[in-house]
Amino acid sequence: MTLLSVRKVYHGIADRRQMFRMFDRHAQRPDRFQDDASALYRGEWFEISRAEHDYMFEVLPPLWMRGEMFALREFLTDRITSIFYVLNIDGRMRYFHGYCDLLDKGSPEQMRDAIVERETRPVRAMTREERLEHIWSSTHDDYRGYAGERWPERDRGKRTVIFYGGRQGTTLKLLEELTDDEIAAKLPVHLRYLPDAIAA
Protein backbone atom coordinates (compact mmCIF):
# COMPACT_ATOMS: atom_id res chain seq x y z
CA MET A 1 0.00 0.00 0.00
CA THR A 2 1.42 3.39 -0.99
CA LEU A 3 0.69 6.05 1.60
CA LEU A 4 1.28 9.77 1.52
CA SER A 5 3.82 10.90 4.09
CA VAL A 6 1.41 13.06 6.13
CA ARG A 7 -2.30 12.47 5.63
CA LYS A 8 -5.61 13.45 7.16
CA VAL A 9 -7.54 10.24 7.86
CA TYR A 10 -10.86 11.53 9.17
CA HIS A 11 -12.94 14.65 8.44
CA GLY A 12 -14.72 16.27 11.33
CA ILE A 13 -13.91 16.14 15.02
CA ALA A 14 -13.55 12.62 16.37
CA ASP A 15 -15.37 11.87 19.60
CA ARG A 16 -13.78 9.60 22.20
CA ARG A 17 -15.12 6.36 20.69
CA GLN A 18 -13.96 7.34 17.20
CA MET A 19 -10.60 8.49 18.54
CA PHE A 20 -9.89 5.14 20.18
CA ARG A 21 -11.01 3.26 17.04
CA MET A 22 -8.67 5.35 14.89
CA PHE A 23 -5.72 4.84 17.19
CA ASP A 24 -5.50 1.41 15.55
CA ARG A 25 -7.19 1.73 12.16
CA HIS A 26 -5.09 -1.15 10.86
CA ALA A 27 -5.80 -3.70 13.60
CA GLN A 28 -7.18 -6.26 11.13
CA ARG A 29 -4.14 -6.24 8.86
CA PRO A 30 -2.62 -9.60 7.95
CA ASP A 31 0.49 -10.61 9.92
CA ARG A 32 -0.31 -8.00 12.56
CA PHE A 33 2.21 -9.28 15.06
CA GLN A 34 4.93 -10.31 12.61
CA ASP A 35 5.54 -7.19 10.55
CA ASP A 36 6.77 -3.67 11.22
CA ALA A 37 3.67 -1.51 10.77
CA SER A 38 5.49 1.81 11.12
CA ALA A 39 4.81 2.79 7.51
CA LEU A 40 1.05 2.23 7.94
CA TYR A 41 0.73 4.62 10.87
CA ARG A 42 3.47 7.19 10.26
CA GLY A 43 1.95 10.50 9.21
CA GLU A 44 -1.71 9.77 10.00
CA TRP A 45 -3.60 12.59 11.73
CA PHE A 46 -7.11 13.65 12.64
CA GLU A 47 -8.90 16.29 14.69
CA ILE A 48 -10.18 15.69 18.21
CA SER A 49 -11.95 17.86 20.79
CA ARG A 50 -10.37 19.63 23.73
CA ALA A 51 -11.93 17.08 26.12
CA GLU A 52 -10.22 14.19 24.30
CA HIS A 53 -6.90 16.08 24.15
CA ASP A 54 -7.02 16.82 27.89
CA TYR A 55 -8.06 13.24 28.69
CA MET A 56 -5.04 11.84 26.83
CA PHE A 57 -2.74 14.37 28.54
CA GLU A 58 -3.87 13.06 31.93
CA VAL A 59 -3.62 9.32 31.10
CA LEU A 60 0.15 9.11 31.60
CA PRO A 61 2.88 11.64 32.10
CA PRO A 62 3.94 12.76 28.59
CA LEU A 63 7.22 11.52 27.13
CA TRP A 64 7.95 15.20 26.36
CA MET A 65 6.18 18.53 25.92
CA ARG A 66 7.14 21.27 23.45
CA GLY A 67 4.98 24.37 23.29
CA GLU A 68 1.78 23.35 21.54
CA MET A 69 2.46 19.59 21.49
CA PHE A 70 3.18 16.59 23.67
CA ALA A 71 4.21 13.00 22.95
CA LEU A 72 2.55 9.98 24.49
CA ARG A 73 4.88 7.82 26.58
CA GLU A 74 3.56 4.53 25.16
CA PHE A 75 4.76 3.70 21.65
CA LEU A 76 2.54 2.07 19.03
CA THR A 77 5.58 0.46 17.38
CA ASP A 78 9.27 0.68 18.21
CA ARG A 79 9.46 4.12 16.61
CA ILE A 80 5.92 5.47 16.27
CA THR A 81 4.04 7.28 19.03
CA SER A 82 1.08 9.62 19.39
CA ILE A 83 1.66 13.35 19.27
CA PHE A 84 -1.15 15.62 20.46
CA TYR A 85 -1.36 19.22 19.25
CA VAL A 86 -3.14 22.41 20.33
CA LEU A 87 -2.99 24.74 17.32
CA ASN A 88 -4.32 28.24 16.76
CA ILE A 89 -5.86 28.07 13.30
CA ASP A 90 -7.71 31.09 11.95
CA GLY A 91 -8.00 32.54 15.46
CA ARG A 92 -9.48 29.39 16.99
CA MET A 93 -7.80 26.77 19.20
CA ARG A 94 -8.10 23.31 17.66
CA TYR A 95 -6.85 19.91 18.82
CA PHE A 96 -5.25 17.11 16.81
CA HIS A 97 -3.73 13.66 17.14
CA GLY A 98 -1.01 12.36 14.83
CA TYR A 99 1.45 9.48 14.61
CA CYS A 100 5.09 10.46 14.26
CA ASP A 101 8.27 8.47 13.84
CA LEU A 102 10.49 9.83 16.59
CA LEU A 103 13.62 8.48 14.87
CA ASP A 104 12.84 10.93 12.06
CA LYS A 105 14.18 14.15 13.54
CA GLY A 106 11.72 16.98 13.21
CA SER A 107 8.73 14.80 12.29
CA PRO A 108 6.43 16.30 15.00
CA GLU A 109 7.15 19.81 13.67
CA GLN A 110 6.68 18.66 10.06
CA MET A 111 3.32 17.16 10.97
CA ARG A 112 2.29 20.33 12.80
CA ASP A 113 3.15 22.40 9.73
CA ALA A 114 1.26 20.00 7.43
CA ILE A 115 -1.84 20.16 9.65
CA VAL A 116 -1.79 23.95 9.72
CA GLU A 117 -1.30 24.10 5.94
CA ARG A 118 -4.14 21.65 5.33
CA GLU A 119 -6.57 23.29 7.74
CA THR A 120 -6.00 26.86 6.55
CA ARG A 121 -6.99 26.20 2.94
CA PRO A 122 -9.46 28.90 1.90
CA VAL A 123 -12.01 26.43 0.50
CA ARG A 124 -13.05 23.24 2.24
CA ALA A 125 -12.09 20.46 -0.12
CA MET A 126 -11.03 16.83 -0.04
CA THR A 127 -8.61 14.91 -2.20
CA ARG A 128 -9.59 11.47 -3.46
CA GLU A 129 -7.10 9.98 -0.98
CA GLU A 130 -8.71 11.89 1.91
CA ARG A 131 -12.14 10.62 0.86
CA LEU A 132 -10.87 7.03 0.82
CA GLU A 133 -9.16 7.44 4.20
CA HIS A 134 -12.36 8.87 5.71
CA ILE A 135 -14.34 5.90 4.38
CA TRP A 136 -11.78 3.49 5.87
CA SER A 137 -11.79 5.31 9.24
CA SER A 138 -15.57 5.48 9.52
CA THR A 139 -16.43 1.96 8.27
CA HIS A 140 -17.16 -0.59 10.99
CA ASP A 141 -14.62 -3.42 11.30
CA ASP A 142 -17.26 -5.95 10.17
CA TYR A 143 -17.50 -4.17 6.80
CA ARG A 144 -13.83 -3.61 6.03
CA GLY A 145 -10.79 -5.84 5.85
CA TYR A 146 -7.88 -6.95 3.72
CA ALA A 147 -7.78 -8.93 0.49
CA GLY A 148 -6.87 -12.54 1.24
CA GLU A 149 -5.99 -15.68 -0.67
CA ARG A 150 -9.06 -15.58 -2.93
CA TRP A 151 -7.80 -12.37 -4.50
CA PRO A 152 -5.17 -12.20 -7.25
CA GLU A 153 -1.69 -12.15 -5.75
CA ARG A 154 -1.12 -8.50 -6.76
CA ASP A 155 -4.12 -7.45 -4.63
CA ARG A 156 -3.49 -9.52 -1.49
CA GLY A 157 -3.11 -7.41 1.61
CA LYS A 158 -4.85 -4.37 0.07
CA ARG A 159 -7.72 -2.80 1.97
CA THR A 160 -11.28 -3.87 1.12
CA VAL A 161 -14.74 -2.54 1.96
CA ILE A 162 -18.22 -3.94 1.50
CA PHE A 163 -20.28 -1.92 -0.96
CA TYR A 164 -24.02 -2.15 -1.41
CA GLY A 165 -24.78 -1.83 -5.11
CA GLY A 166 -28.57 -1.80 -5.16
CA ARG A 167 -29.92 -4.51 -7.46
CA GLN A 168 -26.44 -5.95 -7.85
CA GLY A 169 -26.40 -6.64 -4.12
CA THR A 170 -23.46 -6.43 -1.79
CA THR A 171 -19.91 -6.78 -3.06
CA LEU A 172 -16.46 -6.72 -1.55
CA LYS A 173 -14.31 -4.15 -3.33
CA LEU A 174 -10.77 -2.89 -3.06
CA LEU A 175 -10.89 0.48 -1.32
CA GLU A 176 -8.56 2.02 -3.89
CA GLU A 177 -10.81 0.89 -6.77
CA LEU A 178 -14.03 2.55 -5.62
CA THR A 179 -15.45 4.78 -8.34
CA ASP A 180 -16.30 8.42 -7.67
CA ASP A 181 -20.01 7.50 -7.43
CA GLU A 182 -19.26 4.67 -4.99
CA ILE A 183 -17.10 6.99 -2.88
CA ALA A 184 -19.91 9.56 -2.78
CA ALA A 185 -22.40 6.86 -1.72
CA LYS A 186 -20.19 5.79 1.19
CA LEU A 187 -19.44 9.30 2.46
CA PRO A 188 -21.78 11.11 4.87
CA VAL A 189 -24.05 13.58 3.09
CA HIS A 190 -22.19 16.66 4.39
CA LEU A 191 -18.94 15.43 2.76
CA ARG A 192 -20.29 14.15 -0.56
CA TYR A 193 -20.31 17.40 -2.45
CA LEU A 194 -17.16 19.11 -1.23
CA PRO A 195 -14.98 20.22 -4.13
CA ASP A 196 -12.01 18.09 -5.13
CA ALA A 197 -8.68 19.26 -3.80
CA ILE A 198 -5.48 18.77 -5.71
CA ALA A 199 -3.14 16.59 -3.68
CA ALA A 200 -0.07 18.52 -2.56
Side-chain angles (χ1 to χ4, degrees), residues 4-185:
L4 301 173
S5 59
V6 177
R7 60 208 173 278
K8 185 173 186 175
V9 297
Y10 184 81
H11 283 259
I13 300 172
D15 62 25
R16 189 162 300 180
R17 182 191 60 81
Q18 292 164 322
M19 176 181 76
F20 280 106
R21 278 192 74 234
M22 285 190 292
F23 281 163
D24 198 355
R25 297 183 334 127
H26 309 289
Q28 296 175 303
R29 71 185 183 278
D31 304 322
R32 178 175 181 185
F33 298 105
Q34 288 135 15
D35 65 338
D36 178 12
S38 297
L40 284 176
Y41 295 95
R42 181 187 307 115
E44 292 187 344
W45 66 270
F46 56 91
E47 189 168 359
I48 58 177
S49 73
R50 178 179 181 171
E52 275 56 67
H53 173 276
D54 294 350
Y55 173 81
M56 294 307 296
F57 182 74
E58 294 170 4
V59 169
L60 290 170
L63 179 65
W64 51 254
M65 294 176 62
R66 295 183 199 149
E68 71 279 338
M69 67 181 97
F70 73 89
L72 206 60
R73 183 169 295 280
E74 290 186 353
F75 280 67
L76 181 68
T77 71
D78 291 342
R79 315 160 47 141
I80 305 293
T81 194
S82 293
I83 309 293
F84 291 87
Y85 299 88
V86 180
L87 302 174
N88 187 335
I89 298 176
D90 295 331
R92 196 164 57 96
M93 301 309 285
R94 293 172 62 189
Y95 304 85
F96 300 90
H97 166 271
Y99 279 125
C100 290
D101 182 342
L102 294 189
L103 291 182
D104 180 5
K105 189 170 179 162
S107 66
E109 291 78 13
Q110 291 167 9
M111 176 168 284
R112 177 201 58 211
D113 296 345
I115 292 170
V116 170
E117 187 279 325
R118 170 63 183 87
E119 294 302 300
T120 54
R121 289 182 190 165
V123 177
R124 281 195 51 193
M126 293 174 74
T127 64
R128 176 180 170 81
E129 290 75 21
E130 287 174 342
R131 292 170 201 266
L132 293 176
E133 292 300 337
H134 183 88
I135 289 168
W136 182 257
S137 294
S138 59
T139 299
H140 190 278
D141 288 348
D142 291 344
Y143 302 103
R144 68 180 187 182
Y146 293 83
E149 292 180 4
R150 291 192 210 171
W151 291 78
E153 194 167 334
R154 71 179 181 276
D155 294 331
R156 290 180 192 162
K158 291 182 178 178
R159 296 182 290 177
T160 61
V161 291
I162 291 178
F163 181 78
Y164 177 69
R167 290 185 185 155
Q168 291 80 25
T170 301
T171 35
L172 188 62
K173 297 199 69 169
L174 292 175
L175 179 68
E176 66 188 38
E177 290 185 357
L178 291 177
T179 66
D180 291 343
D181 288 341
E182 291 167 339
I183 289 170

